[in-house]
Amino acid sequence: MKPTKSRALSPPAAGRPWHCRRGGKPRDDHPDGGPSVLCRLIPSLLFLAALVAYLLGLWYCASFFSALGSTSPTPPPPLGSVYRSNELFQKLLPEMLSDNSSAAQINKIWTNRRKLKQSKHCTIHKTQYSSGSIEPSGYLIVDANGGLNQQRSSICNAVALAGLLNAILVIPKFHVHNIWMDPRQCSNTFGSKFKDIYDEDHFINTLKGYVKVVKELPEMIVERFGYNTSSIPNLKAKAWATARFYSDVALPLLQEHGVIRIAPFANRLEVEVPSDMQRLRCLANFKAISFSPSIATMATKLIYHMKEKSSLSEGNYVAVHLRFEADMVAFSCCIFDGGMDEKVEMDSARQRGWKKFKLQSHCLRPDLNRMQGKCPLTPLEVGMMLRGMGFNNNTPIYLASGKIYKEETHLAPLLQLFPLLQTKQSLATPEELVPFQDYSSRLAALDYSVCLHSEVFVTTQGGNFPQFMIGHRRFLYGGHSKTIKPNKRKLVMLFQDANINWKSFKEEMEGIFRESERKGMAQRKNDQSVYSSPLPDCTCLQDQIIQHP
């Protein structure tokens, strides 16, 4: 029998790792001295790892149950992050009801009236084609989408753009959004027509000589596109597009086809435009746009009845624009005190109303929304704020609002503090409101009219309604229009402070009131809209003076 030759240990061939057999013995192809030591250590290493994991688990469990049994209090939520206004209301209610002093006298709301600087005359260049020297470049069609005042913005911007492009403006169409859709609107994508809300003839005649406006496209244009407006070239403009963009891109397209369509058109024109375009915006918003005869007649009745019910304050009243409809509560992603029922209802409303909530049925940080002042004020909070500012229970209030979310519950505290509160439903008979009842835009137009003539306007949430209302009142009253636009970041902290007393709360509210008073004469800055800050751009229109070159 041949003796076996000793072999030097060599590493495994490339791609062939060491292998351990059961019990740590090496394979035949890896003789003594190879991986045997490592193989023998593996069971020990595995046991040690398991022991460490077990000990860590015991430590974690002990820490968890120790925390549960700890007597240290849970830190309170950040001030302003939780809705607890109802608790503060109940605490301060006796003092609010007994304190009927009137620090904010509605008849003397302005303590320091200032005069505007002498205004220069307006110069709006007439479009050249009106004299026949230059032919128009074509027809401009826009789709105005959104609610009443978003549509208003689109109309004014369309007038300004038509002036820039030397185009003939076709009366804008109103595109329906599912949030503002009215039950009686027709089944296609367009709802109420321009003439249902605005005085069409007044609009056309006021703009005559500046921008030509027609009610419909000519037959020859409609026929050329197969009687289908969707076949007309549609210009896709980005939000806040510049005047230069329209000159460079829209004008050549308009000259080529004789007609262009821009849909959607809301917020498709920048804030800062050439002065002539800015003045066309002023002319459209403050002169050309007027509500239809049926709306204007009903609005006049409501204003008359509101002043009649405000006889103790010489016909002056406070108008509050309240945004606490179900869709606003849902979109805000804020939590109030409705519990699980509220959560289920709001999640459902978000799913129905907005695409961005389709994949995410809940809102991640409602506490941050509240702290950042993004939550709409409740009727209860509005009442507490106004009483704290010094408006007593004899103050006549007009409440401009859609259908309030859980109205019976949420409106009761405001009525308790201000029993003279009125709405369009209380000022008119059901029969008088029948032509408007199922049309959200027409109802909003009535609210707009009554708010416009109030002595004080209170806005509780951002949006196009207060933007246009604040600007329109500044225009009508030469800047002397009292607006209360509260600092909601400060308010939410005060409403959650369970330790605050009535005296301290009043002092804080009076400070917010004084700050609002100083903003009455605000003039437009470069980054502000002419619709909310019409001075000084639109001042020359106040005396109905328009000079032509």
Side-chain angles (χ1 to χ4, degrees):
M1 190 174 175
K2 285 186 178 182
T4 58
K5 295 180 180 180
S6 61
R7 293 180 295 176
L9 181 65
S10 59
R16 297 179 58 193
W18 295 109
H19 293 280
C20 293
R21 304 182 72 185
R22 185 173 298 178
K25 295 180 180 180
R27 291 171 56 94
D28 291 338
D29 53 349
H30 298 299
D32 295 344
S36 57
V37 176
L38 178 62
C39 292
R40 290 191 186 99
L41 288 176
I42 286 178
S44 300
L45 293 173
L46 292 174
F47 174 78
L48 182 61
L51 180 62
V52 170
Y54 176 74
L55 292 174
L56 287 174
L58 287 177
W59 175 82
Y60 176 80
C61 291
S63 301
F64 177 77
F65 286 107
S66 175
L68 286 180
S70 175
T71 56
S72 59
T74 304
L79 196 60
S81 63
V82 181
Y83 179 80
R84 288 180 177 163
S85 303
N86 190 48
E87 298 175 24
L88 185 63
F89 174 80
Q90 297 300 334
K91 173 188 172 183
L92 300 181
L93 181 60
E95 290 179 275
M96 284 192 289
L97 293 178
S98 62
D99 183 359
N100 207 29
S101 60
S102 182
Q105 296 182 37
I106 196 170
N107 297 328
K108 300 177 180 178
I109 206 69
W110 283 102
T111 57
N112 182 23
R113 293 182 179 271
R114 292 172 288 179
K115 293 184 178 180
L116 286 169
K117 294 180 181 178
Q118 187 174 2
S119 60
K120 60 182 180 180
H121 296 310
C122 264
T123 300
I124 303 177
H125 290 278
K126 297 174 77 173
T127 49
Q128 294 297 317
Y129 65 80
S130 63
S131 61
S133 59
I134 296 179
E135 288 296 320
S137 53
Y139 291 87
L140 174 64
I141 302 173
V142 299
D143 288 357
N145 54 305
L148 177 74
N149 292 283
Q150 193 172 5
Q151 291 171 349
R152 190 184 188 106
S153 173
S154 296
I155 296 167
C156 298
N157 288 342
V159 170
L161 182 57
L164 174 71
L165 301 177
N166 191 23
I168 301 173
L169 177 64
V170 181
I171 286 286
K173 295 182 181 296
F174 294 159
H175 199 280
V176 175
H177 185 282
N178 58 349
I179 294 302
W180 295 277
M181 188 178 293
D182 292 320
R184 292 184 183 177
Q185 288 178 341
C186 49
S187 58
N188 62 16
T189 56
F190 292 98
S192 295
K193 296 181 179 180
F194 187 97
K195 65 180 180 181
D196 294 330
I197 302 174
Y198 302 108
D199 189 330
E200 204 169 57
D201 293 330
H202 176 80
F203 182 75
I204 294 172
N205 292 332
T206 303
L207 294 174
K208 189 176 295 183
Y210 305 99
V211 171
K212 185 175 181 180
V213 183
V214 295
K215 296 180 181 181
E216 300 287 346
L217 278 174
E219 178 71 17
M220 57 180 291
I221 297 288
V222 178
E223 183 180 6
R224 178 151 59 92
F225 289 94
Y227 296 92
N228 185 3
T229 55
S230 61
S231 300
I232 295 173
N234 186 23
L235 177 66
K236 294 294 184 181
K238 294 182 179 179
W240 314 112
T242 64
R244 180 67 178 270
F245 165 80
Y246 287 108
S247 296
D248 293 347
V249 179
L251 184 56
L253 192 65
L254 182 62
Q255 291 171 332
E256 178 184 354
H257 297 281
V259 58
I260 60 170
R261 178 170 167 254
I262 307 178
F265 189 63
N267 301 328
R268 291 305 192 274
L269 183 61
E270 66 177 342
V271 172
E272 288 299 321
V273 295
S275 57
D276 285 346
M277 294 181 69
Q278 206 72 285
R279 289 168 189 152
L280 282 174
R281 276 173 163 168
C282 295
L283 182 62
N285 189 37
F286 300 119
K287 298 297 180 183
I289 291 180
S290 179
F291 290 126
S292 66
S294 60
I295 292 177
T297 300
M298 188 68 239
T300 301
K301 290 182 180 179
L302 293 178
I303 294 168
Y304 172 79
H305 290 314
M306 190 65 216
K307 287 182 176 293
E308 191 177 38
K309 291 181 180 295
S310 308
S311 57
L312 295 177
S313 56
E314 301 179 9
N316 297 316
Y317 56 91
V318 176
V320 177
H321 181 227
L322 182 68
R323 291 307 315 271
F324 203 69
E325 305 90 348
D327 66 283
M328 176 54 68
V329 175
F331 188 77
S332 70
C333 278
C334 297
I335 296 176
F336 296 91
D337 55 0
M340 185 55 65
D341 289 344
E342 177 187 302
K343 182 182 184 308
V344 171
E345 290 176 15
M346 294 300 100
D347 282 346
S348 177
R350 283 187 280 269
Q351 289 282 320
R352 292 193 309 268
W354 296 276
K355 290 182 180 179
K356 73 175 187 177
F357 293 114
K358 294 293 183 184
L359 300 178
Q360 184 174 298
S361 61
H362 62 283
C363 300
L364 296 178
R365 295 299 304 271
D367 55 334
L368 288 183
N369 288 347
R370 180 167 299 282
M371 293 173 70
Q372 293 170 0
K374 296 180 179 179
C375 296
L377 294 180
T378 64
L380 177 149
E381 291 172 329
V382 172
M384 292 182 66
M385 178 185 74
L386 292 178
R387 284 303 289 265
M389 288 179 174
F391 294 98
N392 62 28
N393 63 0
N394 292 320
T395 303
I397 290 182
Y398 178 80
L399 191 65
S401 173
K403 175 65 176 176
I404 297 173
Y405 175 59
K406 294 192 174 180
E407 181 174 345
E408 186 175 346
T409 300
H410 287 293
L411 196 56
L414 182 59
L415 280 168
Q416 191 173 7
L417 295 176
F418 294 98
L420 298 184
L421 182 141
Q422 304 291 335
T423 64
K424 48 189 171 292
Q425 287 81 11
S426 66
L427 294 174
T429 65
E431 293 75 22
E432 289 176 317
L433 291 177
V434 166
F436 313 91
Q437 196 59 58
D438 292 330
Y439 297 89
S440 57
S441 293
R442 300 180 198 182
L443 291 172
L446 295 177
D447 279 339
Y448 187 97
S449 300
V450 183
C451 289
L452 188 61
H453 292 86
S454 64
E455 183 68 16
V456 182
F457 174 66
V458 183
T459 173
T460 63
Q461 186 73 355
N464 287 289
F465 188 104
Q467 178 186 11
F468 275 89
M469 179 57 59
I470 292 170
H472 205 157
R473 286 164 54 81
R474 283 174 175 161
F475 176 81
L476 282 182
Y477 306 118
H480 298 286
S481 58
K482 181 63 181 178
T483 296
I484 297 176
K485 189 177 181 181
N487 181 342
K488 292 203 290 182
R489 292 191 178 195
K490 186 175 182 179
L491 278 179
V492 294
M493 292 190 291
L494 294 171
F495 285 137
Q496 193 181 325
D497 186 358
N499 297 318
I500 195 169
N501 57 39
W502 176 237
K503 181 181 178 182
S504 299
F505 185 83
K506 281 186 66 175
E507 290 174 353
E508 295 288 351
M509 293 301 108
E510 289 169 359
I512 293 175
F513 178 78
R514 287 192 299 270
E515 178 63 24
S516 294
E517 189 174 49
R518 286 200 295 271
K519 295 178 181 178
M521 285 289 293
Q523 300 216 358
R524 192 176 78 86
K525 299 177 182 179
N526 288 338
D527 59 342
Q528 291 180 322
S529 166
V530 72
Y531 305 130
S532 60
S533 301
L535 310 177
D537 302 78
C538 309
T539 307
C540 47
L541 291 174
Q542 290 175 316
D543 296 326
Q544 308 266 355
I545 300 173
I546 304 175
Q547 286 190 337
H548 306 299

